[in-house]
Amino acid sequence: MEDREIVLLYYGRNEAAIAESAKRYGKMLLRISENVLKNPQDAEECVNDAYLHAWNAIPPDCPVYLGAYLSKIVRNLSLNKWRDLHAGKRDAETLPFDELSECLAEDAEAPDFSEKELSAAISTFLKSEKRDARYVFLRRYFYGDAIEEIAKKAGFTASKTKSMLLRTRKKLAEYLKKEGFFL
Amino acid sequence: MKNNLDFLANGIGLVDDDLLKEAETPLISAKTAALKRILPIAACFLLLCGILTASLVIGKKAAGHKDVSGGEKNVRDSAVSETTFPDPVSDALSELLNSLTSEIFAKSMKMGEAAKNGAPMAEEMQFLYEASILQKPQPEGKPYLILVFSDGSAYLPLTEDEFNLLLIDLKTSGEKPAFGGEWKPAVPVLLADGSGNFYSPYIENAADNVLTEPETPAFEVLLPSAFAQDAAQIIRESGEK
């Protein structure tokens, strides 16, 4: 079933909307969540919560790309859960996103802008990049994929993928600095 | 810092939907990925085939040349007889070509390894790959045609069209057909002296067989210039004799 038809099911308050969403995007959502939480049960729980969020938000939301819409929800829920689970712990477990710390100045002040403003700047930056760099960046920092997995999907070696990520991070850091974020 | 990092991670989590939609599709299909992995190996293999074929053709011609005073001479057109180059010239050229093929093979293996390790396939490698493809379907007896200029440059036609065009040029612009009525080149190596003249070691009187003006080659330099210089030296020495 196409995205548009599934969204119509949500609008009609038809519970088949959730089954169809799971059928079409269930695996992808579970992978996103597992990449963050590293725990199948927790991931499963987050994915189910994401369906519930979508059920409550559509309508009035009317996503064009349902996969992207659900991915954002599940990623956000998974990150929040991860932060809850690791709050106050001094464990060594890290997330791919930790690599982004080099985009921040060490003495960066607390942000005085919204996440939406920052996101718009990141989107603009990514759109100015080449498709392969964009692909590798998002697979790593949105979907949380492992380097080897990204390399396989992109047809690159792991070392090339790492160097592409490094370059893109540096460029993003420069871009954000230029645009006045994290000064 | 930690809060800022979370903020940044959340910001990435809100990027435009069209970017995410794009990222859902792998850059290359699974088939292409598999092909990309085996391509350098396949290229090396094909190149090796091409080189071996070329070596065989050259070897056969060198052997045939020595028997030219016998029956084989009659099989050829009467316009063709012994070369003005002494036999050692052909042998020396064969040796040079053999060393050259080893060199190219070693180089291609090195590039193949590099490609396997993720380095993008060098243009030169791509060229060698195409060249080997070109050679493979050549009917038996067709030459391995290399142009060597005494200024140190040397060329191998890249495409079959270029190859054929070159043969047509050689056929039509010569003072007399090099091999009689029908052009049946059996020339393993074609030499040019840098002044616009092409010679073949298998043509009766090289000096009388100015075949064509050299065109600006549209293809890349393939042979190491040391080889070309050695070849030019051989030509010069043969001219002095």
Side-chain angles (χ1 to χ4, degrees):
Chain A
M1 195 178 272
E2 294 299 313
D3 281 3
R4 198 169 49 86
E5 295 167 276
I6 300 173
V7 171
L8 283 176
L9 290 176
Y10 278 102
Y11 267 75
R13 309 316 293 158
N14 186 336
E15 287 178 12
I18 292 178
E20 290 298 332
S21 299
K23 199 168 145 188
R24 193 166 163 85
Y25 296 112
K27 273 187 187 171
M28 180 180 78
L29 299 177
L30 197 61
R31 203 179 58 238
I32 293 173
S33 191
E34 277 184 354
N35 284 346
V36 175
L37 295 166
K38 320 280 184 213
N39 179 320
Q41 282 80 34
D42 288 346
E44 183 82 46
E45 202 179 304
C46 272
V47 171
N48 288 331
D49 284 351
Y51 293 138
L52 184 65
H53 270 70
W55 178 258
N56 291 332
I58 309 172
D61 285 1
C62 185
V64 179
Y65 302 123
L66 187 62
Y69 181 83
L70 292 170
S71 300
K72 284 178 181 177
I73 296 175
V74 82
R75 180 185 182 275
N76 193 32
L77 290 173
S78 305
L79 270 178
N80 287 342
K81 194 172 184 77
W82 189 90
R83 285 166 191 151
D84 287 347
L85 290 171
H86 292 80
K89 287 186 186 172
R90 304 182 93 186
D91 51 18
E93 202 175 332
T94 58
L95 289 173
F97 321 108
D98 292 342
E99 296 163 10
L100 292 164
S101 58
E102 65 195 58
C103 293
L104 306 169
E106 283 197 10
D107 53 350
E109 291 171 7
D112 58 352
F113 43 84
S114 70
E115 282 177 353
K116 277 197 172 174
E117 285 173 315
L118 174 63
S119 171
I122 295 170
S123 295
T124 308
F125 165 78
L126 287 175
K127 283 174 186 172
S128 71
E129 287 293 291
K130 284 185 182 166
R131 199 208 153 186
D132 53 358
R134 198 158 60 217
Y135 176 85
V136 168
F137 185 89
L138 284 173
R139 289 311 312 182
R140 181 69 177 156
Y141 301 123
F142 183 91
Y143 294 90
D145 287 350
I147 301 278
E148 290 71 22
E149 201 180 338
I150 301 169
K152 199 173 157 191
K153 282 178 190 161
F156 302 139
T157 59
S159 58
K160 182 176 178 180
T161 308
K162 277 184 199 167
S163 65
M164 282 176 81
L165 284 169
L166 179 71
R167 273 199 300 273
T168 313
R169 284 200 305 267
K170 281 186 176 169
K171 283 166 90 175
L172 176 63
E174 280 168 24
Y175 179 81
L176 291 178
K177 197 175 172 188
K178 199 179 88 186
E179 295 295 312
F181 294 95
F182 302 117
L183 286 173
Chain B
M1 178 85 167
K2 181 70 185 163
N3 282 344
N4 283 350
L5 188 58
D6 289 346
F7 202 75
L8 184 56
N10 289 346
I12 290 172
L14 293 173
V15 292
D16 291 352
D17 284 2
D18 51 345
L19 287 170
L20 296 180
K21 176 80 180 165
E22 182 189 66
E24 281 173 21
T25 318
L27 271 186
I28 54 168
S29 68
K31 264 187 190 173
T32 315
L35 268 177
K36 208 173 168 184
R37 275 195 293 278
I38 63 164
L39 187 63
I41 300 162
C44 288
F45 177 73
L46 286 173
L47 186 63
L48 181 62
C49 289
I51 288 166
L52 286 175
T53 310
S55 302
L56 280 174
V57 170
I58 292 163
K60 273 184 189 169
K61 288 317 298 177
H65 177 67
K66 284 174 189 166
D67 284 333
V68 80
S69 57
E72 187 176 326
K73 184 177 169 185
N74 299 328
V75 178
R76 295 185 187 170
D77 191 271
S78 58
V80 180
S81 62
E82 287 183 65
T83 173
T84 52
F85 293 118
D87 283 345
V89 175
S90 299
D91 292 344
L93 284 170
S94 294
E95 269 179 40
L96 274 168
L97 273 173
N98 284 338
S99 68
L100 169 76
T101 51
S102 318
E103 218 172 299
I104 293 177
F105 181 64
K107 197 172 179 183
S108 68
M109 286 299 283
K110 203 173 159 190
M111 283 194 280
E113 276 302 311
K116 265 200 292 180
N117 291 329
M121 188 182 276
E123 270 179 40
E124 198 174 0
M125 179 69 188
Q126 184 66 31
F127 166 69
L128 291 173
Y129 172 65
E130 286 176 24
S132 65
I133 296 271
L134 171 72
Q135 285 163 28
K136 203 170 180 238
Q138 296 295 330
E140 201 181 346
K142 259 202 169 182
Y144 182 69
L145 190 70
I146 300 171
L147 305 182
V148 183
F149 297 88
S150 57
D151 64 358
S153 56
Y155 303 94
L156 178 73
L158 181 58
T159 65
E160 195 158 19
D161 278 350
E162 278 173 348
F163 186 90
N164 289 332
L165 194 67
L166 195 62
L167 294 188
I168 290 165
D169 274 357
L170 293 174
K171 184 167 65 174
T172 55
S173 60
E175 294 255 324
K176 59 181 180 180
F179 287 88
E182 195 184 349
W183 175 256
K184 286 181 182 170
V187 187
V189 183
L190 193 66
L191 304 167
D193 63 5
S195 63
N197 300 329
F198 286 81
Y199 303 107
S200 159
Y202 292 91
I203 294 172
E204 182 183 6
N205 185 342
D208 290 339
N209 282 280
V210 178
L211 299 177
T212 185
E213 289 292 314
E215 292 184 358
T216 305
F219 17 87
E220 291 177 58
V221 173
L222 173 69
L223 311 181
S225 61
F227 166 76
Q229 280 160 7
D230 288 349
Q233 181 64 26
I234 290 170
I235 303 166
R236 271 198 297 278
E237 283 170 4
S238 70
E240 286 163 8
K241 282 175 190 171

